Amino acid sequence: MSTTIVIKDLVKSYPAIAPAPGSPPTTTAVDRVSLTINAGELFFLLGPSGCGKTTLLRMIAGFIEPTGGTIVFQTADGASNDVTFLPAEKRDTGMVFQSYALWPHMTVAQNVAFGLEVRKIPVGERESRVREALAAVRMEQYAQRKPNQLSGGQQQRIALARAIVVKPRVLLLDEPLSNLDAKLRIELRSEIRRVCKTSGITTVYVTHDQKEALSMADRIAIMRSGNIVQLGTPTGLYQTPTERFVAEFLGETNIIEGQVLSAGQHVVVSTPFGQLASENASKCPVEVSATVLVSLRHECVRLAKGPGTNAISATVKDSVYLGEIAQVELAKESQTISLSILNPRGELPAVGSQAWCEIDPRDVILMPKR
Ligand code: ADP
């Protein structure tokens, strides 16, 4: 039965290392985080280095004791288990680390079987479960190899098989793809997602790589300085960020200031590049004459032949051909906007010329100016 993880007001503080005079004597790695991770969900903790995601994951695993708050594992039948201070080995979680941490002297099959032996699972069942787990990660034919006879990607598949073979309540993945090269990382993203979703195990996955999170997650919590800044689905977060940090962390975007000219059903803002209508202001309370931030993603700004709906004009400052895309930078009144052209053909706009571009009102994202 799948497990829901309910986290309430979770805090972890450490004594500050050599605090500057006047600064607090503690560092708060995780700062009153409340969060429910649904049963069977593939949930991501995403954020820059030092934002507290590993500390949060390790508190769920039981490797770090919280300073405050609670962690509860719930099952659909209503059983509720407060694991806040339960030792790691009693929580029934499986963990996959950045370093594969396989036993070098054991074969692949022995590595995967290890957790079953510890749990005293009878030999017959053990063998069939090892076969099943190796099949799940598509590594059956490597059962008799030693880890040093496998590539990094294959070793990480074995680490995943070893974690799921014991059918844990919760699977925890700490930057599992960071040691792999770019091509393998992309390949393993869909493999890991497939394995997690097929197994139905509630999974928490830590990464600083936004593409990894966007391509794999059911939901993502974006963290900064020990807090969750925004929580949502990949498309929800990418298309409707609530603040600049989230908009910029998830992908290339232009942030410009705008002044609200009309509010209500038809929101229009005035920007240094011209007036823009927005149909993406739901996360930003708008009042006439208020200053807001406007986020325009590079791929949402499209070159146009001339004036049109939601069109703005500016001088071409730079134009670079990169194969699958071209990048164009436009400038006006000392502000710049970058845009990307997918599959560029023919001539790119000449530097110094005047260019028009159009933006769909749904892609004109308004955010509060804080
Ligand atoms: P992330 O995984 O997002 O990179 P961490 O959870 O590792 O971030 O760390 C969050 C913050 O807590 C950082 O400022 C880090 O320096 C601090 N921190 C982590 N572990 C310790 C520790 N054992 N002692 C003191 N500070 C720590």
Side-chain angles (χ1 to χ4, degrees):
M1 202 178 305
S2 230
T3 297
T4 302
I5 306 169
V6 182
I7 295 168
K8 226 171 176 182
D9 295 331
L10 203 64
V11 177
K12 180 65 194 179
S13 20
Y14 292 107
I17 299 159
S23 63
T26 55
T27 307
T28 307
V30 172
D31 192 4
R32 289 178 66 94
V33 164
S34 294
L35 169 69
T36 298
I37 299 167
N38 299 322
E41 188 169 35
L42 177 48
F43 191 92
F44 272 65
L45 299 172
L46 172 69
S49 177
C51 71
K53 51 196 188 298
T54 309
T55 305
L56 179 51
L57 187 83
R58 286 171 177 262
M59 285 194 280
I60 301 172
F63 300 146
I64 295 177
E65 256 192 24
T67 314
T70 55
I71 305 169
V72 173
F73 287 178
Q74 285 176 351
T75 34
D77 62 4
S80 192
N81 191 1
D82 186 332
V83 299
T84 316
F85 296 105
L86 195 69
E89 68 277 10
K90 297 203 169 138
R91 289 191 188 197
D92 201 5
T93 56
M95 187 107 188
V96 178
F97 302 93
Q98 186 174 333
S99 62
Y100 326 117
L102 299 173
W103 300 104
H105 60 287
M106 291 184 188
T107 64
V108 160
Q110 287 165 339
N111 264 283
V112 177
F114 187 74
L116 299 175
E117 270 174 55
V118 173
R119 285 168 175 76
K120 307 219 173 356
I121 305 290
V123 178
E125 185 185 340
R126 210 190 289 164
E127 283 171 0
S128 65
R129 278 173 65 174
V130 168
R131 266 198 308 277
E132 245 173 64
L134 286 177
V137 297
R138 300 187 170 144
M139 288 291 290
E140 306 102 304
Q141 68 274 39
Y142 297 94
Q144 297 316 317
R145 290 220 191 160
K146 294 274 177 62
N148 68 3
Q149 296 169 318
L150 301 175
S151 71
Q154 291 171 331
Q155 290 187 54
Q156 197 56 300
R157 282 169 196 256
I158 301 306
L160 183 59
R162 186 183 52 182
I164 60 166
V165 77
V166 296
K167 303 193 170 140
R169 297 185 74 174
V170 171
L171 180 62
L172 304 167
L173 301 151
D174 188 1
E175 304 256 9
L177 302 181
S178 296
N179 275 348
L180 304 174
D181 64 50
K183 192 164 169 276
L184 259 179
R185 273 209 301 271
I186 292 172
E187 224 175 271
L188 271 185
R189 281 179 196 164
S190 48
E191 282 288 287
I192 294 182
R193 180 170 166 87
R194 181 184 54 77
V195 172
C196 293
K197 296 312 291 182
T198 315
S199 70
I201 302 170
T202 310
T203 304
V204 190
Y205 188 125
V206 159
T207 185
H208 62 274
D209 182 331
Q210 79 279 11
K211 288 275 188 288
E212 213 165 287
L214 288 173
S215 62
M216 296 175 69
D218 290 326
R219 284 193 307 156
I220 305 169
I222 301 198
M223 294 186 68
R224 178 186 53 190
S225 311
N227 292 294
I228 292 176
V229 189
Q230 194 176 349
L231 193 158
T233 60
T235 46
L237 292 172
Y238 189 83
Q239 291 167 6
T240 321
T242 49
E243 60 175 277
R244 178 179 195 145
F245 174 77
V246 175
E248 291 184 322
F249 192 75
L250 287 181
E252 305 271 24
T253 194
N254 300 286
I255 306 281
I256 53 177
E257 278 196 10
Q259 210 167 31
V260 179
L261 295 178
S262 90
Q265 255 201 323
H266 300 286
V267 180
V268 178
V269 287
S270 150
T271 78
F273 293 88
Q275 286 186 15
L276 288 172
S278 168
E279 287 172 18
N280 197 334
S282 64
K283 297 287 161 90
C284 176
V286 282
E287 275 172 40
V288 173
S289 82
T291 304
V292 292
L293 294 182
V294 185
S295 168
L296 306 171
R297 293 219 174 271
H298 290 192
E299 71 277 13
C300 298
V301 183
R302 291 184 313 273
L303 281 180
K305 294 213 159 55
T309 328
N310 242 21
I312 54 180
S313 80
T315 311
V316 178
K317 198 174 159 203
D318 201 7
S319 212
V320 185
Y321 179 74
L322 291 167
E324 85 275 25
I325 61 162
Q327 282 171 345
V328 177
E329 200 179 350
L330 305 175
K332 193 161 188 178
E333 293 172 19
S334 79
Q335 297 225 29
T336 55
I337 279 190
S338 297
L339 63 98
S340 15
I341 308 170
L342 197 62
N343 190 19
R345 294 179 196 276
E347 293 282 305
L348 292 181
V351 172
S353 66
Q354 202 66 13
W356 283 92
C357 39
E358 277 181 349
I359 306 148
D360 188 309
R362 289 171 299 181
D363 297 324
V364 178
I365 305 166
L366 303 193
M367 300 176 298
K369 185 178 178 224
R370 290 196 228 270

